[in-house]
Amino acid sequence: MNLLHWLVLGCACALPLSASAQWQWVDNSGKKVFSDQPPPTDIPEKNILRRAGPSPSARAPAPATPAPEGSSDTAAAAKAAPPPKPTGVDKELEEKTKKAEAEQKAKEAAEAAKIAKAKAESCARAREGKATIDSGIRLAKVNAKGEREIMDDAARAAEQKRVQSVIDSDCK
């Protein structure tokens, strides 16, 4: 039984060693990067601090295009395609930017819908008020003292003008 305990303890101690198969390098901005994937091809060999595999051939360079006969090496280098840009961080940044823009557009659309709804409600109330004023029934307002005052013709005309201006501005 004592041997079994030692065997379990040895396995438990060896388990974290499998997690050490990681890449470590310094990127172009000077930050240390840890990954289970090899670094991009634009990272120089001197910036790779730790490799996942035992051999440096795990990160094979891109094959060079053969130069046509009679051309110089500089012409072949000029014709070669530029190295691909690292896209890991850029994709995340683009996704975050697109998400933020979408949220901003959604917020603006919600605000516009809210304003349109408020204008529609104001328009409906103004049209109801205009219909009431145009009906010719007696209207009363409550003054500052809390007393009811019957609207005379001048007050009715002023209220009709005010309601019409609300209709003109909100009912477009």
Side-chain angles (χ1 to χ4, degrees):
M1 187 91 163
N2 194 12
L3 180 62
L4 183 62
H5 286 278
W6 283 106
L7 187 61
V8 169
L9 180 64
C11 288
C13 290
L15 189 62
L17 295 177
S18 66
S20 66
Q22 298 287 321
W23 287 88
Q24 180 181 359
W25 69 89
V26 178
D27 66 0
N28 294 334
S29 63
K31 293 182 182 177
K32 279 190 179 180
V33 179
F34 299 89
S35 176
D36 60 345
Q37 301 293 320
T41 56
D42 66 336
I43 301 295
E45 290 292 324
K46 66 178 184 166
N47 288 355
I48 299 175
L49 304 175
R50 189 181 335 153
R51 299 177 185 279
S55 67
S57 65
R59 183 176 169 239
T65 56
E69 293 181 26
S71 65
S72 67
D73 290 337
T74 57
K79 289 181 181 178
K85 294 182 180 178
T87 58
V89 176
D90 293 339
K91 285 182 181 177
E92 292 175 12
L93 182 61
E94 287 176 11
E95 289 174 10
K96 287 181 182 179
T97 304
K98 287 180 182 178
K99 186 177 180 182
E101 288 174 357
E103 288 176 357
Q104 181 67 24
K105 286 181 181 179
K107 191 182 285 186
E108 289 173 0
E111 186 67 27
K114 186 177 178 182
I115 291 171
K117 183 180 177 184
K119 280 191 171 191
E121 290 174 358
S122 175
C123 177
R125 282 192 308 268
R127 286 189 175 164
E128 288 175 7
K130 182 165 176 32
T132 302
I133 292 170
D134 290 345
S135 69
I137 62 172
R138 289 177 45 176
L139 298 176
K141 280 191 170 186
V142 179
N143 64 10
K145 296 179 184 177
E147 301 169 341
R148 285 181 26 168
E149 293 179 348
I150 304 294
M151 293 177 67
D152 59 353
D153 289 337
R156 183 182 292 267
E159 185 66 16
Q160 192 172 21
K161 186 182 265 188
R162 185 191 69 79
V163 170
Q164 186 61 45
S165 69
V166 171
I167 290 173
D168 291 341
S169 65
D170 290 349
C171 298
K172 291 182 181 178

